[in-house]
Amino acid sequence: MSDELFDSVDALLSGVRTGLPGPAERQRLRLAAGLSVTQVAVALRVNSSLVKGWEDGTAVPGPDLAPAYVRLLDGLAARFPATPAPPVATSAPMMATSGEADGAPQLGMLDQNQDGSLVMGPAAPCVQCGQPSVYRAQGRPMHLGGFCRPATHVAPASTAPRQQSAPAIPAAPAAAPVPVAAEPVRPAPVPAPVAITAPAARRPAASRTPARPAAARPARPAAPAAPVAPAAAAKWWPMVALDVAEDGTWVLDVPQIPAPAGTKLGDWFAWLGTGLPLRIERAHPSGRGGDGTVCLTAGALKLLGLPAALPATEKALAALQAKLAKAAATVGMEVSAQIGPSFRAFRRAGSAGGQKTSIGVLVAPWLGQGDARQQATNTLAAALATGPDGAVDGATFARRFRAFTADLGVAPGATTASTGMLLLDAVRPREEWVKDPATGEWSAHLREGALPKGDVAVPPVAGARHPATRKLLAAGEAVCEEEDYKWWARELTPEESVRPWVVAVDVCASYLSVTDSLRLPAGPLKLVQGPAWNGGKDAGFWWADFTTTPVDELLPHPATFHGRPPTGPSWYATPTVAYMAGTYGFDPATITQAYISTHTVPLLKEWTGRIRGGYKRTYADLGLVDGQAPEEFLAAYAAHKETGDDPGRADALVLAGAYKNVYKGGIGKWSDSARHLTDEEWSEQVASKWSYRSEIRFTIIAAARIAAHRRLRKTFLLTGRAPLAVNVDSYLYATDEASPLELLPVRDDGTPVPGALRLGIAPGSHKHESSIPLPAVIEALGRREHPSKLVHHYATDGTYIGPGQADAEQTAAEPAGTDEQEGGH
């Protein structure tokens, strides 16, 4: 009886000594803040089961953890005070004392060197769980707090849980509450460690329960008017930037993520393996998520003793790889076989030091360095990391990475073109995992309607590099030529020749204006003789002759990329045939054969929605939104690239360019020519992939070109104005003023006419590119040059800015690694 009394008194004294509130109050404070047990465990670097023990009264924090836990609870109590109630005496049971029997250290404080780093040694059985550990406590092997795995023996039922240890968290200076943003993609940098704020309650799709249904992904406001509730923040973050403050302490640009315990490489790898809340959530229930990433800044590299530049020689690179591998091994982790600007750190299941984990590492100062493969792999990352001053910055990259991932639902790939394919596979996965009810094993299977692997190209629409296309061209036979308008121009009319200006307008996101509902040929193409036309519901390619079909003479021909009338029959995509039949009276009964898809589906619906959402959000940050009056839009667009010292605007400008190139390059990727590969390599590595489907690219471009012609024709019918030159989605009109306002068809109430030329940032609307003096255009035509070459030589007010200047501004605003033009291959 006396032993039980002593245990009870010791437990009570332990609770008083720590200054902790009762277990029920601890749980109340956590729930009031919207914190999960896992989030508290990650912040304090302990196992989640230990936090549960603190809240149900079966465990009490040791002296190494109590100060940090008290600081958390005090901060939460100040923000979420309890309703006054009569005081209730509480007691907590004593910590397990079975450690005395097996000789385990009781305090759990890990041994430290004089410089504060943790003492490490050869891996040996932990005195608490029996699994290997490289750390020492009172000279004996012991795990970092929270990393003890279940012991090989079963403890008696009467044995209380042992107290686990963790590195002490240094007390942080008092800080004001940090408001949590509605979408945590732009957390403000902090100069020093701050008090833990309430993270979010949003769970990854894999962990959602029926009691808490998944909510729709909210649109992230450009600028929240006021702090929002803690429950709106995120549980997982795709990336965090690790930097160093002026006083030499670690600083993370996501304050909800704890900092490393020390500054040695071993401390850093131990931190990477603690189960940080870094992850990319999956964008589709059948898809996969991705590992989170830690971005190292120049300051972090210096503090960790890593080189400021990636070694240029094989010997030096090998030495760096060995150094990282040795440091990682001390905590049971490994690194990628090849070290470059980006690599991985991971721990295999069953390795000493902790649980299985995998995390990406990106070293911002190393971007753009290394061999050709490393530079190609990080092309888009280098562009996103480059600030307005041209310097590569880790914090800038992490901020943009989080915004990119939040907008699109996928991390940036090597290039914008490859990112387009990664996005499609993320929002519309090709495979799903199925469990065998008999064996219980999981296996991957193609989802219904998924694009299969293998070369499925048919000769007329196989793509420019395909051997089938070359064979047809060598035989003098026709192939599909559905492309954007290229260098079409005509002679000026008498009315146009007396107008002093030529105004260039450009279509905004022309492909995004058609891909949302466009039905694409997802199934194999089958040759059909004497096909029945069903109004354009079947995606495919039709052998049609438009030579006798009359069209508008002042407009480019709708069916040809060169804008001139065709000279004979050829292969046309469904959108072209449907437009020629519905608008100009072409008779589909004259079609003799067609390649028709066995499966037609709006393949890019989700893909378009993601990109369009990011596109609109970034331009809204730049002052361009739907529904602006023409004059308001022109003024806002003229100033949208003036970012000044505002990092938010600078980020928005870069991301807007990235999103545009994701859809441009992604569409071009369907017919990837991969010029750096030999013909044999191309056939094996490109043509055999599911992502090589040139018929999809042809259909998209045909639909975009037809949509452009429809707008040109409607504008012509309403105003009598027709473009004198067209190149891709840039149209040149003769005008009386250096402004496109006179070209806009409007209703009696002044509102724009749907389906005609209109100004705005929405996909399918137009922006003012340039105003060129008419004599300069006439001179160019006299030299047999296309006048669209002058677009970048003149500003929107007609000022001559010279060749190259506008191109340089465009290059600075948009990331590299893109296709030369929309849908290019």
Side-chain angles (χ1 to χ4, degrees), residues 1-13 94:
M1 176 64 70
S2 61
D3 288 343
E4 293 180 2
L5 290 174
F6 289 158
D7 290 348
S8 179
V9 170
D10 288 343
L12 179 60
L13 291 175
M94 194 183 81

Side-chain angles (χ1 to χ4, degrees), residues 267-611:
D267 300 328
W268 179 63
F269 276 111
W271 175 69
L272 293 178
T274 57
L276 298 173
L278 294 173
R279 183 164 180 78
I280 298 172
E281 299 186 52
R282 56 185 178 180
H284 187 280
S286 296
R288 296 181 180 180
D291 294 332
T293 304
V294 171
C295 181
L296 295 180
T297 64
L301 279 182
K302 184 177 181 180
L303 193 60
L304 291 172
L306 296 176
L310 187 66
T313 65
E314 290 291 337
K315 182 178 180 180
L317 197 59
L320 174 61
Q321 204 278 343
K323 178 179 180 180
L324 291 170
K326 182 178 179 180
T330 61
V331 291
M333 296 190 71
E334 304 175 49
V335 295
S336 304
Q338 292 185 339
I339 300 299
S342 60
F343 60 92
R344 306 204 72 76
F346 56 93
R347 183 189 290 119
R348 303 179 192 272
S351 298
Q355 74 271 35
K356 177 182 177 182
T357 188
S358 177
I359 197 164
V361 178
L362 188 134
V363 186
W366 294 355
L367 289 171
Q369 303 176 22
D371 56 28
R373 182 194 63 81
Q374 292 170 334
Q375 293 186 38
T377 303
N378 295 281
T379 299
L380 180 53
L384 293 178
T386 303
D389 58 354
V392 175
D393 177 63
T396 296
F397 177 70
R399 193 172 62 244
R400 293 173 180 173
F401 185 100
R402 289 191 294 268
F404 189 105
T405 306
D407 284 336
L408 300 193
V410 66
T415 65
T416 49
S418 62
T419 302
M421 288 301 166
L422 292 174
L423 174 59
L424 180 60
D425 198 29
V427 298
R428 197 183 184 96
R430 296 178 56 254
E431 297 179 339
E432 61 184 354
W433 287 85
V434 179
K435 185 177 182 179
D436 189 325
T439 64
E441 296 182 354
W442 291 85
S443 58
H445 299 275
L446 281 180
R447 299 175 69 223
E448 183 179 357
L451 300 178
K453 291 183 179 179
D455 189 346
V456 297
V458 296
V461 288
R465 186 167 182 179
H466 201 283
T469 302
R470 295 178 179 178
K471 184 177 180 180
L472 286 178
L473 292 176
E477 299 186 29
V479 296
C480 181
E481 293 182 313
E482 295 280 23
E483 298 290 346
D484 291 305
Y485 282 124
K486 301 290 196 313
W487 309 111
W488 174 84
R490 60 169 174 79
E491 293 183 0
L492 277 65
T493 65
E495 294 82 2
E496 292 171 336
S497 62
V498 296
R499 293 190 170 115
W501 294 99
V502 170
V503 166
V505 293
D506 181 79
V507 183
C508 297
S510 61
Y511 293 157
L512 292 185
S513 67
V514 300
T515 52
D516 181 54
S517 58
L518 179 63
R519 302 187 66 83
L520 293 166
L525 295 175
K526 301 296 183 182
L527 180 61
V528 178
Q529 300 294 336
W533 178 256
N534 64 352
K537 296 179 181 180
D538 292 329
F541 296 84
W542 313 76
W543 181 253
D545 188 354
F546 299 138
T547 55
T548 59
T549 303
V551 295
D552 299 285
E553 295 183 358
L554 291 182
L555 299 177
H557 196 284
T560 62
F561 73 91
H562 46 69
R564 299 186 299 274
T567 57
S570 188
W571 293 99
Y572 298 96
T574 298
T576 301
V577 179
Y579 184 66
M580 292 296 294
T583 303
Y584 293 106
F586 169 73
D587 184 5
T590 60
I591 298 175
T592 58
Q593 57 182 333
Y595 282 94
I596 301 176
S597 174
T598 59
H599 182 51
T600 302
V601 64
L603 183 67
L604 299 181
K605 184 176 182 62
E606 299 86 357
W607 183 86
T608 302
R610 288 281 186 167
I611 301 178

